[in-house]
Amino acid sequence: MTEKNNKVAVVTGGSRGIGRAIVLALSGMGLDVVCNYRSGKDAAQETVRLAENLSGRVTVMKFDVADHGSVKKAFKEIIAEKKRIDVLVNNAGIARDNLIAMMKSDQWRDVLETNLYGVFYCCQAVTRQMLKQRYGRIVNITSVIGFTGNAGQANYAAAKAGIVGLTRSLAKELASRNITVNAVAPGYIETDMTSELPDAAKEAMLAQVPLGRVGTPEDVANAVKFLVSDDASYITGQVIHVNGGMFMG
Ligand code: NDP
């Protein structure tokens, strides 16, 4: 039986992949979780069903993290209904790969707007409430690519590196009010995002992983679970790399 507590968490892009594993991990800790998605309602409802099987409390909320107005409205509604937000996990992300020479400005903009502006919008939307509560845990999902760069992913790498700077700055802004802000940087994790890659690219990535296996969404969720727990109350402004040793930062 899950031990209930009155903490509320919001996970963006919680309907599939890493986000779904994070939703299940946090609901397994007894948190009341709001699972955001953009378009995949069936996947979001499947996440709720999986959580309920484990006695978790999860509700879904559709909004686009790249749309500032929708983000403000969604968080206003969540705060009005739940009266608090203790945990925010900025997980929603997309990739639109292309070499710089061929990259369309739409590909650059879409990735920056979802992966970086979206994180800014959501962080800003919870800040006042967390300051009032004098408590909060923010975890931003960046990527190994934000540290190493990758040919064909300049847009994605720029957004993910930007998340690290945002995380450290916000950690300094909020620390005095008992709000921690950290990031988790996954390596090669098996999800829809990576299943689309050509087999040769997958093999090349796996060859760079000293632990010799692809990561699971649960590997990433475990790091998030730690960062939002009381055991991590003295950790802020940090990045935890979950990559099987692929990059040692
Ligand atoms: P998936 O493609 O499997 O899932 C992406 C999730 O994000 C979906 O729930 C999707 O919802 C949601 N989403 C996308 N755009 C938006 C938006 N504008 N607003 C709200 N929700 C949105 O991705 P992963 O699980 O693989 O990745 C999750 C995070 O981890 C991303 O930030 C990614 O960059 C990062 N990451 C992943 C790695 C990997 O190897 N898989 C490695 C390093 C980092 P919907 O279906 O409704 O659009």
Side-chain angles (χ1 to χ4, degrees), residues 12-19 36-41 63-66 90-94 114-115 141-144 156 160 185-194:
T12 68
S15 56
R16 295 187 279 125
I18 293 171
N36 154 259
Y37 69 102
R38 180 186 47 177
S39 54
K41 191 175 177 189
F63 62 89
D64 180 347
V65 297
N90 284 303
N91 163 79
I94 57 168
T114 299
N115 297 11
I141 307 298
T142 174
S143 168
V144 65
Y156 187 83
K160 294 299 190 181
Y188 172 21
I189 311 296
E190 199 155 35
T191 66
D192 293 344
M193 187 181 272
T194 47

Side-chain angles (χ1 to χ4, degrees), residues 1-60:
M1 196 41 194
T2 307
E3 197 188 317
K4 304 265 186 271
N5 64 39
N6 63 359
K7 289 198 175 135
V8 175
V10 180
V11 180
T12 68
S15 56
R16 295 187 279 125
I18 293 171
R20 173 182 283 172
I22 294 169
V23 168
L24 296 179
L26 299 189
S27 69
M29 292 168 84
L31 277 81
D32 182 355
V33 185
V34 178
C35 165
N36 154 259
Y37 69 102
R38 180 186 47 177
S39 54
K41 191 175 177 189
D42 290 349
Q45 280 169 344
E46 174 64 7
T47 304
V48 173
R49 200 189 57 77
L50 291 168
E52 282 173 354
N53 284 347
L54 303 166
S55 308
R57 285 173 297 167
V58 176
T59 47
V60 296

Side-chain angles (χ1 to χ4, degrees), residues 29 73 75 86 93 121 197:
M29 292 168 84
K73 185 166 170 280
F75 279 88
D86 299 281
Y121 297 151
L197 295 169

